[in-house]
Amino acid sequence: MSITRDDIRAAVGAGKISEAQASAIVALSEARRGARENLGGLDEPFELFKGFNEIFIVVGLTILYAGWTGLTGISTYLASSSMVSLLLCGMAGMAALAGLALYFTRRRRMVAPSIALAIMFAFSAVQAGWAVSYWMVPDNGIPKITGFNDVRTVIMLALATLALIVYWLAFRVPFAMLLIALGFYATCFGLTALNGPELNSLRDVFLLSANSAFSWVTLALGLLGLALALRFDVSDPHRVTRRASQAFWLHVISAPAIVNTVAFTLFQQGGAGAYLILSGFLVLMAVFAIVIDRRSFLISGIGYVVALTAIVAEGQTWAFILLLGVFLVALGAFWESIRGGIMAVMPGFPGKDRLPPWTRPREFSA
C-alpha cells in the first residue's frame, strides 16, 4: 500500500508530523520517482562535483596538503629523520584530514572535496604505514621503497588499506571504496611478488599478473567486489543515494580484476581463436552490464582489455582495438533501447524487480 499526498496532509493536520517534515518527505518521493527521468533518459547517475565552488575548495585543499607533505614528509625523508617523526607526521595528517572531512563530507555533503580528502588520507596512511613497516623490518641507511618485492611495502599497503576501511566506516565516502579495493589488490600483488622477479617496467607488472596464484586471487577479489556492488545496487534501484555511488566505484575496480584472469589466459594461448573467445566473453560482459544497467562495469573492463592488448599482447592488435571502439560507441548510442528489449524478453528471475527501471517511470502527480 502506497502513501499519497492526501495521507501526508492528513498526518500534518493531525499533528503527527510538521509541515517541514511533510515537505521533506514529498521532496524525497519526487526525487526517487523522477531522478532517473531527469537525467534525460534512463542514464546512469554520475557526479564528481556539484559546482565550481567545490573545485575551488579542492584546489585549496591540494595546495594545503602539498605544503604539509613538503614540510613533514619529503623533508623528513631527505633529512633521514627517525621513523617516529615520520609516523607522527603521518598520523597528524590523517587526523587533520579527518577533521576536514567532518566539515566538508559529513556536514556540507560536498562531492569533489570528499574525493580529494579520501585520496589525501590514503597518502597520509601510506606515509604512516611506511614508518611502521620500517619499525617492524629495520633497515640500515636511508629508508626507501624498493618496489613490490619488498616485504615492507606489503606491510605498508596492508596498514594503509586498514586505515582506509576505518575512514570509510566513519564518513561513507563512495570513492573510498575504490581506494580500499585498490589497496586489497596491491597488497595481494605484493604478496605474490615477494619471491618473484624484479619489476622494472609496466610490462613486467602485467606479466606477473599471469602468475596463476595471483590470477585466481584477482578473480576472487573481483567477484567479491562485484557481489558487494550488486548488493548496494539492489538496495537503491533508482540510484538516488550514496549506496549507488558506492556501487559505481566498486564496479569500476571489479571489472578489470575479473577480466585480468580471463584475458591473460587467452593471451597466453595466442592466435585468432583467443581473440574470438575474448570477444565472446566481452559480449557476455556487455549483456550482464546492460541487465544491471552499469556502463561503468563494462567500460572499465574493456578499458583494461585495451591496455593489456596494447602492452602485453603480441602481433597486430589494432584491428581488435578498433572493433572494441566501434562496439562501445554503438552500445552507448543505443543503450536504452537495447536494455529495454533485453529486459522485456528476459524471463523473471529473483531480484529482477529490484533492478533499475527499463521503461520511463510515470510522472509523479500532485
Side-chain angles (χ1 to χ4, degrees):
M1 179 179 179
S2 60
I3 299 176
T4 65
R5 289 199 180 201
D6 289 336
D7 294 326
I8 296 176
R9 293 191 187 99
V12 174
K16 301 296 183 181
I17 59 175
S18 65
E19 291 187 3
Q21 290 172 327
S23 298
I25 293 172
V26 172
L28 177 62
S29 177
E30 290 177 341
R32 289 186 62 83
R33 289 176 179 268
R36 295 182 65 82
E37 185 176 5
N38 292 335
L39 289 171
L42 300 176
D43 204 352
E44 180 178 353
F46 177 71
E47 186 178 45
L48 281 178
F49 59 92
K50 295 180 179 179
F52 192 77
N53 185 49
E54 291 198 359
I55 303 300
F56 185 87
I57 293 173
V58 168
V59 173
L61 289 172
T62 303
I63 295 173
L64 175 65
Y65 186 73
W68 168 260
T69 302
L71 183 65
T72 64
I74 298 176
S75 59
T76 301
Y77 172 81
L78 294 177
S80 301
S81 299
S82 68
M83 288 295 99
V84 175
S85 299
L86 194 63
L87 174 62
L88 292 177
C89 291
M91 294 182 66
M94 293 165 63
L97 291 166
L100 290 170
L102 285 173
Y103 178 74
F104 290 112
T105 301
R106 183 171 290 180
R107 181 176 177 182
R108 296 288 300 274
R109 302 286 183 177
M110 290 185 166
V111 179
S114 296
I115 292 175
L117 288 171
I119 295 174
M120 295 170 189
F121 185 89
F123 281 126
S124 292
V126 167
Q127 179 181 342
W130 180 15
V132 173
S133 69
Y134 270 89
W135 172 75
M136 297 176 65
V137 185
D139 184 32
N140 296 324
I142 298 177
K144 61 181 179 179
I145 298 176
T146 59
F148 281 99
N149 303 76
D150 185 1
V151 66
R152 287 178 292 262
T153 304
V154 176
I155 296 174
M156 174 193 72
L157 291 170
L159 292 175
T161 303
L162 289 175
L164 281 169
I165 293 175
V166 174
Y167 185 86
W168 179 81
L169 291 173
F171 301 106
R172 305 286 175 167
V173 178
F175 186 80
M177 276 293 190
L178 175 68
L179 298 177
I180 292 171
L182 286 174
F184 270 111
Y185 295 145
T187 303
C188 292
F189 186 88
L191 289 171
T192 306
L194 283 178
N195 297 319
E198 291 294 328
L199 307 176
N200 299 316
S201 67
L202 182 61
R203 180 181 174 84
D204 292 337
V205 173
F206 275 112
L207 289 176
L208 182 59
S209 297
N211 177 283
S212 59
F214 184 70
S215 292
W216 286 110
V217 170
T218 303
L219 180 61
L221 290 176
L223 293 174
L224 178 63
L226 177 60
L228 185 57
L230 291 176
R231 183 176 180 181
F232 281 125
D233 272 341
V234 297
S235 68
D236 181 22
H238 292 278
R239 295 178 181 169
V240 294
T241 69
R242 284 193 298 177
R243 292 191 298 275
S245 299
Q246 315 268 17
F248 173 89
W249 293 112
L250 283 172
H251 281 300
V252 167
I253 194 64
S254 62
I258 295 172
V259 167
N260 177 75
T261 302
V262 177
F264 262 116
T265 301
L266 294 172
F267 283 150
Q268 285 179 330
Q269 294 179 2
Y275 284 100
L276 184 61
I277 297 174
L278 181 58
S279 299
F281 176 74
L282 292 178
V283 170
L284 291 178
M285 278 191 63
V287 173
F288 178 77
I290 290 171
V291 170
I292 65 174
D293 198 21
R294 277 299 185 183
R295 296 165 179 82
S296 54
F297 178 79
L298 182 60
I299 195 66
S300 61
I302 289 184
Y304 187 80
V305 170
V306 171
L308 289 181
T309 304
I311 296 175
V312 177
E314 298 178 355
Q316 298 296 325
T317 59
W318 296 111
F320 180 69
I321 294 176
L322 175 64
L323 290 176
L324 286 179
V326 173
F327 175 68
L328 279 182
V329 171
L331 194 58
F334 303 103
W335 182 281
E336 296 174 10
S337 57
I338 293 174
R339 184 168 189 265
I342 290 176
M343 298 301 290
V345 301
M346 182 174 289
F349 56 86
K352 183 178 180 180
D353 58 339
R354 300 176 67 185
L355 292 172
W358 50 91
T359 57
R360 283 183 177 275
R362 291 177 297 177
E363 292 185 3
F364 184 75
S365 57

